[in-house]
Protein backbone atom coordinates (compact mmCIF):
# COMPACT_ATOMS: atom_id res chain seq x y z
CA UNK A 1 0.00 0.00 0.00
CA UNK A 2 1.19 3.52 -0.79
CA UNK A 3 1.40 5.00 2.70
CA UNK A 4 2.49 8.40 1.34
CA UNK A 5 -1.06 9.10 0.12
CA UNK A 6 -2.90 11.36 2.54
CA UNK A 7 -6.67 10.90 2.77
CA UNK A 8 -8.43 13.57 4.80
CA UNK A 9 -11.71 12.57 6.43
CA UNK A 10 -14.16 15.51 6.56
CA UNK A 11 -15.23 16.40 10.09
CA UNK A 12 -18.90 16.49 9.10
CA UNK A 13 -18.70 12.95 7.72
CA UNK A 14 -17.00 11.71 10.89
CA UNK A 15 -19.66 13.43 13.02
CA UNK A 16 -22.46 11.88 10.98
CA UNK A 17 -21.08 8.37 11.41
CA UNK A 18 -20.51 8.91 15.11
CA UNK A 19 -24.07 10.17 15.59
CA UNK A 20 -25.85 7.54 13.52
CA UNK A 21 -23.45 4.60 13.69
CA UNK A 22 -22.08 4.82 17.21
CA UNK A 23 -18.97 2.73 17.87
CA UNK A 24 -19.26 0.95 14.52
CA UNK A 25 -19.47 4.28 12.73
CA UNK A 26 -16.41 5.64 14.52
CA UNK A 27 -14.50 2.46 13.71
CA UNK A 28 -15.36 2.78 10.02
CA UNK A 29 -14.18 6.40 9.98
CA UNK A 30 -10.93 5.42 11.69
CA UNK A 31 -10.30 2.77 9.01
CA UNK A 32 -11.36 5.01 6.11
CA UNK A 33 -7.94 6.51 5.16
CA UNK A 34 -6.33 3.07 4.91
CA UNK A 35 -9.36 1.70 3.04
CA UNK A 36 -9.17 4.50 0.47
CA UNK A 37 -5.41 4.17 0.05
CA UNK A 38 -5.79 0.43 -0.43
CA UNK A 39 -8.24 0.85 -3.28
CA UNK A 40 -6.14 3.53 -4.93
CA UNK A 41 -3.42 0.88 -5.10
CA UNK A 42 -5.67 -2.06 -5.95
CA UNK A 43 -7.43 -0.34 -8.86
CA UNK A 44 -4.36 1.67 -9.97
CA UNK A 45 -5.94 5.05 -9.31
CA UNK A 46 -4.46 8.50 -8.79
CA UNK A 47 -6.12 11.18 -6.68
CA UNK A 48 -7.32 14.06 -8.84
CA UNK A 49 -8.60 16.73 -6.46
CA UNK A 50 -10.42 17.17 -3.15
CA UNK A 51 -13.09 14.71 -2.13
CA UNK A 52 -16.76 15.33 -1.47
CA UNK A 53 -19.07 13.67 1.00
CA UNK A 54 -22.67 13.16 1.97
CA UNK A 55 -24.06 11.82 5.22
CA UNK A 56 -22.53 8.37 4.74
CA UNK A 57 -20.05 8.28 1.87
CA UNK A 58 -16.75 9.80 0.82
CA UNK A 59 -16.28 10.33 -2.93
CA UNK A 60 -12.78 10.95 -4.25
CA UNK A 61 -12.10 12.18 -7.80
CA UNK A 62 -9.50 9.86 -9.33
CA UNK A 63 -7.82 9.07 -12.62
CA UNK A 64 -7.47 5.49 -13.86
CA UNK A 65 -4.26 4.05 -15.26
CA UNK A 66 -5.43 4.78 -18.81
CA UNK A 67 -6.12 8.44 -17.96
CA UNK A 68 -9.90 8.04 -17.68
CA UNK A 69 -11.44 10.24 -14.97
CA UNK A 70 -13.50 8.34 -12.40
CA UNK A 71 -14.81 8.63 -8.84
CA UNK A 72 -13.99 6.34 -5.92
CA UNK A 73 -16.99 6.03 -3.58
CA UNK A 74 -16.44 4.62 -0.10
CA UNK A 75 -19.31 3.84 2.25
CA UNK A 76 -20.11 1.17 4.84
CA UNK A 77 -21.85 -2.03 3.86
CA UNK A 78 -25.46 -1.69 5.07
CA UNK A 79 -29.00 -2.53 3.99
CA UNK A 80 -29.33 1.00 2.66
CA UNK A 81 -26.19 0.87 0.50
CA UNK A 82 -25.74 -2.81 -0.33
CA UNK A 83 -28.09 -2.81 -3.33
CA UNK A 84 -26.75 0.35 -4.98
CA UNK A 85 -24.42 -1.65 -7.28
CA UNK A 86 -27.33 -3.91 -8.31
CA UNK A 87 -29.35 -0.92 -9.44
CA UNK A 88 -26.44 0.76 -11.21
CA UNK A 89 -25.50 -2.43 -13.04
CA UNK A 90 -29.11 -2.92 -14.13
CA UNK A 91 -29.42 0.63 -15.50
CA UNK A 92 -25.94 0.30 -17.06
CA UNK A 93 -25.58 4.03 -17.50
CA UNK A 94 -29.05 4.62 -18.96
CA UNK A 95 -30.08 7.70 -17.00
CA UNK A 96 -27.72 6.92 -14.12
CA UNK A 97 -24.02 7.12 -13.36
CA UNK A 98 -22.14 4.10 -14.71
CA UNK A 99 -20.58 1.58 -12.31
CA UNK A 100 -17.02 0.73 -13.38
CA UNK A 101 -15.98 -1.60 -10.56
CA UNK A 102 -17.23 -2.80 -7.18
CA UNK A 103 -15.90 -4.59 -4.12
CA UNK A 104 -18.82 -6.30 -2.36
CA UNK A 105 -16.86 -7.01 0.83
CA UNK A 106 -16.35 -3.31 1.62
CA UNK A 107 -19.07 -1.68 -0.51
CA UNK A 108 -16.44 0.37 -2.35
CA UNK A 109 -17.39 1.44 -5.88
CA UNK A 110 -15.57 2.95 -8.81
CA UNK A 111 -17.92 5.19 -10.75
CA UNK A 112 -17.98 7.27 -13.87
CA UNK A 113 -16.87 10.83 -13.05
CA UNK A 114 -19.66 13.43 -13.09
CA UNK A 115 -19.45 17.14 -12.33
CA UNK A 116 -20.32 17.44 -8.64
CA UNK A 117 -20.20 21.24 -8.90
CA UNK A 118 -23.20 21.25 -11.26
CA UNK A 119 -26.19 19.53 -9.66
CA UNK A 120 -29.72 19.92 -10.98
CA UNK A 121 -30.49 22.05 -7.91
CA UNK A 122 -28.39 24.79 -9.56
CA UNK A 123 -30.88 25.12 -12.43
CA UNK A 124 -32.68 28.31 -11.52
CA UNK A 125 -36.08 27.68 -13.09
CA UNK A 126 -38.11 25.26 -10.98
CA UNK A 127 -40.30 24.03 -13.84
CA UNK A 128 -37.26 23.26 -15.97
CA UNK A 129 -35.64 21.34 -13.10
CA UNK A 130 -38.79 19.29 -12.48
CA UNK A 131 -39.06 18.40 -16.17
CA UNK A 132 -35.42 17.26 -16.29
CA UNK A 133 -35.94 15.14 -13.18
CA UNK A 134 -39.16 13.69 -14.63
CA UNK A 135 -37.45 12.78 -17.92
CA UNK A 136 -34.73 10.92 -16.02
CA UNK A 137 -37.27 9.18 -13.80
CA UNK A 138 -39.17 7.97 -16.86
CA UNK A 139 -36.03 6.15 -18.02
CA UNK A 140 -35.14 4.77 -14.60
CA UNK A 141 -38.53 3.27 -13.74
CA UNK A 142 -38.96 1.80 -17.24
CA UNK A 143 -36.65 -1.03 -16.13
CA UNK A 144 -38.05 -4.09 -14.32
CA UNK A 145 -36.50 -4.53 -10.89
CA UNK A 146 -33.92 -7.32 -10.74
CA UNK A 147 -33.81 -9.92 -7.98
CA UNK A 148 -32.08 -9.11 -4.73
CA UNK A 149 -33.71 -5.75 -3.97
CA UNK A 150 -35.91 -4.64 -1.12
CA UNK A 151 -39.59 -4.69 -2.08
CA UNK A 152 -42.11 -1.93 -1.58
CA UNK A 153 -44.67 -4.53 -0.50
CA UNK A 154 -42.52 -5.47 2.50
CA UNK A 155 -41.69 -1.88 3.38
CA UNK A 156 -45.35 -0.86 3.18
CA UNK A 157 -46.42 -3.78 5.37
CA UNK A 158 -43.80 -2.86 7.97
CA UNK A 159 -44.99 0.75 7.99
CA UNK A 160 -48.61 -0.25 8.55
CA UNK A 161 -47.55 -2.47 11.43
CA UNK A 162 -45.72 0.44 13.09
CA UNK A 163 -48.54 2.99 12.85
CA UNK A 164 -50.59 1.99 15.95
CA UNK A 165 -47.49 2.16 18.18
CA UNK A 166 -46.15 5.39 16.61
CA UNK A 167 -49.24 7.60 16.39
CA UNK A 168 -49.65 8.25 20.15
CA UNK A 169 -46.25 10.01 20.16
CA UNK A 170 -47.70 12.90 18.13
CA UNK A 171 -49.08 15.69 20.26
CA UNK A 172 -51.54 17.25 17.79
CA UNK A 173 -54.72 15.26 17.08
CA UNK A 174 -54.66 16.60 13.51
CA UNK A 175 -51.19 15.11 13.02
CA UNK A 176 -52.35 11.78 14.41
CA UNK A 177 -55.33 11.74 12.05
CA UNK A 178 -53.17 12.64 9.05
CA UNK A 179 -50.81 9.74 9.75
CA UNK A 180 -53.78 7.36 9.99
CA UNK A 181 -55.15 8.73 6.70
CA UNK A 182 -51.80 8.19 4.98
CA UNK A 183 -51.74 4.65 6.36
CA UNK A 184 -55.22 4.02 4.95
CA UNK A 185 -54.03 5.17 1.52
CA UNK A 186 -51.13 2.70 1.69
CA UNK A 187 -53.43 -0.10 2.85
CA UNK A 188 -55.58 0.43 -0.26
CA UNK A 189 -52.55 0.01 -2.55
CA UNK A 190 -50.45 -2.63 -0.82
CA UNK A 191 -51.96 -5.45 -2.87
CA UNK A 192 -50.44 -3.94 -6.04
CA UNK A 193 -46.98 -2.72 -4.99
CA UNK A 194 -45.42 -2.69 -8.48
CA UNK A 195 -42.28 -4.24 -9.91
CA UNK A 196 -40.26 -1.35 -11.39
CA UNK A 197 -36.70 -0.45 -10.45
CA UNK A 198 -37.04 2.66 -8.25
CA UNK A 199 -34.31 5.12 -7.30
CA UNK A 200 -36.02 5.96 -3.97
CA UNK A 201 -34.05 9.19 -3.45
CA UNK A 202 -34.17 11.14 -6.72
CA UNK A 203 -33.87 14.71 -5.51
CA UNK A 204 -32.19 17.60 -7.30
CA UNK A 205 -28.77 17.16 -5.68
CA UNK A 206 -28.74 13.51 -6.73
CA UNK A 207 -28.69 14.50 -10.41
CA UNK A 208 -25.37 15.74 -11.75
CA UNK A 209 -24.01 16.98 -15.06
CA UNK A 210 -22.13 14.36 -17.07
CA UNK A 211 -19.96 14.30 -20.18
CA UNK A 212 -21.80 11.62 -22.14
CA UNK A 213 -25.22 12.97 -21.09
CA UNK A 214 -26.30 16.38 -19.76
CA UNK A 215 -27.82 14.88 -16.58
CA UNK A 216 -27.38 11.57 -14.77
CA UNK A 217 -28.75 10.23 -11.48
CA UNK A 218 -26.47 9.23 -8.62
CA UNK A 219 -26.76 7.65 -5.17
CA UNK A 220 -29.81 5.39 -5.65
CA UNK A 221 -31.36 3.32 -2.88
CA UNK A 222 -32.79 0.70 -5.29
CA UNK A 223 -36.22 -0.65 -4.54
CA UNK A 224 -38.74 -2.83 -6.41
CA UNK A 225 -42.08 -1.11 -6.54
CA UNK A 226 -44.58 1.35 -8.00
CA UNK A 227 -43.15 4.49 -9.68
CA UNK A 228 -45.58 6.61 -7.66
CA UNK A 229 -43.39 5.92 -4.63
CA UNK A 230 -40.53 7.81 -6.33
CA UNK A 231 -42.26 11.20 -6.72
CA UNK A 232 -41.99 12.65 -3.22
CA UNK A 233 -38.41 14.07 -3.33
CA UNK A 234 -39.29 16.24 -6.33
CA UNK A 235 -42.29 17.63 -4.43
CA UNK A 236 -40.45 18.31 -1.18
CA UNK A 237 -37.04 19.55 -2.37
CA UNK A 238 -36.55 23.23 -3.25
CA UNK A 239 -39.42 23.80 -0.83
CA UNK A 240 -38.51 27.43 -0.25
CA UNK A 241 -39.17 28.08 -3.95
CA UNK A 242 -42.62 26.51 -3.72
CA UNK A 243 -43.38 28.71 -0.70
CA UNK A 244 -42.01 31.80 -2.47
CA UNK A 245 -44.63 31.47 -5.22
CA UNK A 246 -47.23 32.66 -2.72
CA UNK A 247 -49.46 29.68 -3.53
CA UNK A 248 -47.74 26.58 -2.21
CA UNK A 249 -50.72 24.33 -2.96
CA UNK A 250 -50.62 25.30 -6.61
CA UNK A 251 -46.84 24.81 -6.71
CA UNK A 252 -47.13 21.28 -5.27
CA UNK A 253 -49.87 20.36 -7.74
CA UNK A 254 -47.90 21.79 -10.66
CA UNK A 255 -44.90 19.61 -9.77
CA UNK A 256 -47.15 16.60 -9.20
CA UNK A 257 -48.89 17.11 -12.56
CA UNK A 258 -45.57 17.44 -14.41
CA UNK A 259 -44.30 14.21 -12.87
CA UNK A 260 -47.45 12.11 -13.30
CA UNK A 261 -47.99 13.27 -16.87
CA UNK A 262 -44.38 12.57 -17.87
CA UNK A 263 -44.50 9.08 -16.35
CA UNK A 264 -48.05 8.32 -17.50
CA UNK A 265 -49.14 7.50 -13.96
CA UNK A 266 -52.64 7.18 -12.59
CA UNK A 267 -53.04 10.25 -10.37
CA UNK A 268 -54.94 8.42 -7.66
CA UNK A 269 -52.32 5.69 -7.29
CA UNK A 270 -49.45 8.17 -7.51
CA UNK A 271 -51.03 10.34 -4.82
CA UNK A 272 -51.59 7.29 -2.62
CA UNK A 273 -47.98 6.13 -2.85
CA UNK A 274 -46.76 9.70 -2.25
CA UNK A 275 -48.84 9.69 0.94
CA UNK A 276 -46.92 6.50 1.70
CA UNK A 277 -43.68 8.49 1.54
CA UNK A 278 -45.16 11.06 3.93
CA UNK A 279 -46.06 8.19 6.23
CA UNK A 280 -42.54 6.79 5.99
CA UNK A 281 -41.01 10.16 6.85
CA UNK A 282 -43.41 10.61 9.76
CA UNK A 283 -42.49 7.21 11.19
CA UNK A 284 -38.79 7.96 10.85
CA UNK A 285 -39.25 11.32 12.60
CA UNK A 286 -41.23 9.76 15.42
CA UNK A 287 -38.53 7.14 15.84
CA UNK A 288 -36.03 10.00 16.16
CA UNK A 289 -38.09 11.52 18.99
CA UNK A 290 -40.16 14.10 17.11
CA UNK A 291 -43.65 14.79 18.42
CA UNK A 292 -45.01 16.83 15.49
CA UNK A 293 -45.12 16.37 11.74
CA UNK A 294 -42.84 18.49 9.59
CA UNK A 295 -44.90 21.37 8.07
CA UNK A 296 -43.88 20.72 4.45
CA UNK A 297 -44.98 17.08 4.82
CA UNK A 298 -48.35 18.19 6.16
CA UNK A 299 -48.79 20.60 3.24
CA UNK A 300 -47.92 17.97 0.61
CA UNK A 301 -50.19 15.38 2.19
CA UNK A 302 -53.18 17.67 2.65
CA UNK A 303 -52.79 19.06 -0.86
CA UNK A 304 -52.80 15.62 -2.44
CA UNK A 305 -55.68 14.41 -0.25
CA UNK A 306 -57.75 17.41 -1.26
CA UNK A 307 -57.06 16.92 -4.96
CA UNK A 308 -56.73 13.13 -5.31
CA UNK A 309 -59.92 12.80 -7.35
CA UNK A 310 -59.27 15.87 -9.50
Amino acid sequence: MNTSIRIDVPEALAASHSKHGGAAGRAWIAALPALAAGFLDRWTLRLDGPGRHGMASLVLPVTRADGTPAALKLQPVSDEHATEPIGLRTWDGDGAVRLLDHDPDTGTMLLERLDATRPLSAVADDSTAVRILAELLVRLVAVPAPKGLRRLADIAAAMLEQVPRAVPALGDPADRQLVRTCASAVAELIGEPGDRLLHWDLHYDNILTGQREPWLAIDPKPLAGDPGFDLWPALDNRWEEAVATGDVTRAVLRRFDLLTEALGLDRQRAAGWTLGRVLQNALWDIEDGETALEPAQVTIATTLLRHRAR
Side-chain angles (χ1 to χ4, degrees), residues 100-274:
L100 305 177
D101 210 336
H102 171 234
D103 178 63
D105 291 336
T106 64
T108 305
M109 291 182 287
L110 188 65
L111 302 169
E112 167 187 18
R113 176 98 66 90
L114 304 182
D115 188 348
T117 68
R118 296 177 62 195
L120 184 57
S121 58
V123 172
D125 183 71
D126 184 67
S127 294
T128 299
V130 175
R131 287 191 182 94
I132 291 170
L133 186 149
E135 289 167 2
L136 271 184
L137 193 54
V138 167
R139 295 165 63 186
L140 298 177
V141 302
V143 179
K147 294 180 179 178
L149 299 183
R150 289 173 289 181
R151 301 186 307 158
L152 179 54
D154 299 330
I155 288 167
M159 288 195 295
L160 294 179
E161 185 179 348
Q162 292 172 41
V163 167
R165 298 192 303 273
V167 163
L170 296 171
D172 188 336
D175 282 354
R176 295 196 291 270
Q177 182 56 48
L178 184 58
V179 168
R180 293 189 187 100
T181 301
C182 289
S184 295
V186 172
E188 291 175 11
L189 297 171
I190 196 169
E192 298 180 71
D195 64 353
R196 300 289 92 184
L197 176 53
L198 307 186
H199 184 287
W200 202 358
D201 195 24
L202 194 65
H203 58 74
Y204 301 94
D205 283 325
N206 271 348
I207 299 173
L208 301 180
T209 300
Q211 288 191 334
R212 61 182 175 86
E213 290 201 35
W215 300 103
L216 291 165
I218 64 166
D219 202 23
K221 309 293 184 287
L223 178 71
D226 189 295
F229 199 66
D230 249 2
L231 306 186
W232 170 80
L235 303 178
D236 179 76
N237 284 190
R238 298 174 67 139
W239 187 250
E240 68 285 350
E241 296 176 36
V243 173
T245 65
D247 189 344
V248 69
T249 295
R250 182 178 179 183
V252 168
L253 288 175
R254 180 181 54 78
R255 292 180 180 181
F256 183 73
D257 287 344
L258 281 171
L259 292 162
T260 52
E261 288 170 12
L263 276 76
L265 300 182
D266 176 84
R267 286 176 53 87
Q268 287 270 52
R269 287 183 60 82
W273 281 122
T274 302

